[in-house]
Amino acid sequence: MLRVIPHPEARQHVLDRCARLAATSVPLADATGLVLDHDVVAREDVPPFANSAVDGYAVRAADVAGASDDEPIVLDVIDEVPAGASSDRTVGAGQAIRIMTGAPMPAGADASVMVEDTERLDDGGRVRVRRAVEAGSAVRAAGDDVVTGTRLFGPGDLITPAVAGVLASINVHEVTAVRAARVAVLSTGDELVDDGSPLRPGQIRESNKTMLLGMVRDAGCVAVDRGIVRDDEAALEAVLRDAADTCDAIVTSGGVSMGDYDVVKAVLSRIADMRWMQIAIRPAKPFAFGLLRASDGRDVPVFGLPGNPVSSLVSFELFARPALRQMMGHPSIERPTVAAVADTELPRRPDGKVHFVRVIAGFGDDGRVHVRPVGGQGSHQLAATAAANGLAMVPDGDGLAVGDDVTVVLLALA
Ligand code: AMP
Ligand code: MG
């Protein structure tokens, strides 16, 4: 009889066996979502030159010191400078240059006046300034954002879209980042159909593989669809071995429990170093994890998820997702959890397990996260689960009352 283990123990068992992948050179255009593996020191100032923060006029602040609506000051407009150009003129006493946002400040000018505070006079050669500005006003200094020599990022930093933007701004177009894991996903079962054909007696539509491919992608990995594998040992072994040779991890669904046709169990027990677990959670009690040796000697993690669709989802969330993110060097491998308020009863019976109740979570007027369960908590009721954005962890016991605190794993919170 297998010992039923707490889910953190299973999670740790998995994490201890999922090594970080190697870093590799990646074009910046493909690097968002990956984790950096080196220091980035700015080799350029951003902005590279002092420029105007507004569309308006580059002036000498001293010239317009007394300007107001009642007593505007008139300046001669000696040039015009759009973004991308520069003026070779120098702003002298009583002079201004028409300037657009982002255009370099011309010599002599120390401030910009926004166009809304000015009026061009009929002759076009002069401008009336209605507002006094201080030196430096509406000017973005060189290096205001990034100063040359500053260390901006380092190993372990996630390349978010904004980070990628910063890298582009300092002329970095190639980074060394931890590789995105290639993850093979396959479902198993003679009953599964995914080709649109009419269902014969006993057949059902495949759903897990479609869902898991999305979850793998959502975790930042490259998902590789290995299709439906029949409950046939030779066929399954061939697919698993090929997946190990071409991928960094394998996710299977189905065939890991106590059924007579649980071929995943039969095959993996023979060809991989597996641990077959019973986890003290509901849903997703059966779970298998192990390492399958590839032809080139790599030990490829295999996640054997249960077949019931909701169990598959919960099992992936709890065990596979953190492990895959660890493999990719992610700074945060866990979903956020919050202490939320139960807006309804969350009844249950003692059974030694933590129940992961699928809930809809949202902020209440009190600023706290509140949850209510989705209707349909069966492990086969994926449509109900699809409405959930959280997993409420209801501890062993008699359940929770309205208003009780409950820890919620947030899958998404818009
Ligand atoms: P198993 O773990 O293989 O015994 O499957 C448990 C339950 O999940 C059975 O009702 C299966 O028909 C169902 N199931 C297994 N794999 C899938 C899948 N890929 N899509 C939808 N249902 C599945
Ligand atoms: Mg099966």
Side-chain angles (χ1 to χ4, degrees):
M1 185 58 193
L2 275 174
R3 187 170 66 93
V4 177
I5 60 174
H7 64 94
E9 183 182 327
R11 178 184 162 284
Q12 198 56 48
H13 175 85
V14 170
L15 291 178
D16 288 347
R17 285 159 185 78
C18 288
R20 210 201 75 170
L21 296 170
T24 178
S25 188
V26 184
L28 179 61
D30 301 328
T32 296
L34 301 181
V35 172
L36 204 59
D37 195 41
H38 58 102
D39 282 327
V40 174
V41 176
R43 302 254 165 265
E44 293 183 4
D45 279 352
V46 183
F49 49 84
N51 65 91
S52 180
V54 296
D55 291 321
Y57 292 87
V59 301
R60 293 150 51 116
D63 283 358
V64 298
S68 68
D69 282 332
D70 295 337
E71 290 184 55
I73 286 170
V74 175
L75 301 173
D76 289 331
V77 180
I78 60 166
D79 200 2
E80 181 171 306
V81 51
S86 65
S87 175
D88 53 10
R89 305 287 304 274
T90 296
V91 176
Q95 294 182 332
I97 288 179
R98 174 81 171 111
I99 194 164
M100 310 308 158
T101 304
M105 290 301 290
D110 59 4
S112 283
V113 181
M114 63 174 163
V115 73
E116 292 86 339
D117 292 333
T118 67
E119 262 161 47
R120 198 71 173 249
L121 297 181
D122 289 344
D123 63 6
R126 291 178 305 154
V127 63
R128 188 181 282 146
V129 176
R130 302 188 163 281
R131 196 79 63 225
V133 289
E134 286 167 14
S137 173
V139 176
R140 308 188 283 211
D144 222 7
D145 191 22
V146 176
V147 176
T148 304
T150 309
R151 179 189 171 281
L152 291 175
F153 309 112
D157 284 344
L158 179 64
I159 304 171
T160 63
V163 167
V166 173
L167 292 170
S169 81
I170 58 170
N171 198 30
V172 171
H173 294 288
E174 191 87 17
V175 293
T176 304
V178 184
R179 240 158 30 74
R182 279 173 60 82
V183 181
V185 179
L186 55 105
S187 58
T188 64
D190 281 345
E191 73 278 31
L192 304 176
V193 176
D194 71 348
D195 62 1
S197 56
L199 294 177
R200 293 199 308 269
Q203 290 187 324
I204 61 167
R205 306 280 178 207
E206 196 294 320
S207 59
N208 295 355
K209 182 170 64 67
T210 304
M211 172 182 76
L212 291 167
L213 286 165
M215 293 180 84
V216 162
R217 270 183 226 113
D218 192 52
C221 311
V222 176
V224 180
D225 185 350
R226 297 306 310 248
I228 298 171
V229 185
R230 299 293 152 209
D231 291 327
D232 173 273
E233 292 198 22
L236 183 61
E237 175 170 348
V239 172
L240 287 169
R241 288 200 185 280
D242 188 64
D245 285 352
T246 53
C247 293
D248 301 303
I250 300 171
V251 174
T252 69
S253 85
V256 294
S257 40
M258 301 297 185
D260 288 344
Y261 296 86
D262 287 337
V263 294
V264 176
K265 191 163 193 174
V267 172
L268 281 174
S269 297
R270 187 159 46 75
I271 68 171
D273 180 14
M274 298 297 293
R275 180 171 172 189
W276 304 90
M277 292 173 255
Q278 299 284 307
I279 322 280
I281 58 173
R282 180 176 164 174
K285 185 175 177 212
F287 169 65
F289 175 79
L291 299 172
L292 175 56
R293 182 69 50 90
S295 307
D296 62 6
R298 284 175 306 116
D299 280 325
V300 177
V302 182
F303 301 88
L305 310 182
N308 278 310
V310 180
S311 303
S312 242
L313 180 150
V314 169
S315 196
F316 183 92
E317 274 296 335
L318 295 186
F319 308 119
R321 188 177 192 277
L324 293 172
R325 287 168 73 83
Q326 176 173 285
M327 289 170 71
M328 295 187 295
H330 256 269
S332 69
I333 62 172
E334 297 294 351
R335 297 283 196 187
T337 57
V338 291
V341 183
D343 276 355
T344 67
E345 280 186 339
L346 297 171
R348 54 161 293 172
R349 291 273 151 260
D351 61 3
K353 298 176 186 170
V354 176
H355 289 196
F356 284 82
V357 177
R358 280 75 69 201
V359 294
I360 296 169
F363 283 106
D365 293 340
D366 57 0
R368 296 195 58 191
V369 173
H370 288 245
V371 297
R372 60 191 164 82
V374 298
Q377 292 284 334
S379 63
H380 60 297
Q381 290 176 303
L382 188 59
T385 289
N389 62 348
L391 300 173
M393 295 170 62
V394 181
D396 194 20
D398 289 312
L400 301 175
V402 175
D404 278 356
D405 271 12
V406 58
T407 303
V408 175
V409 181
L410 293 176
L411 305 178
L413 192 57

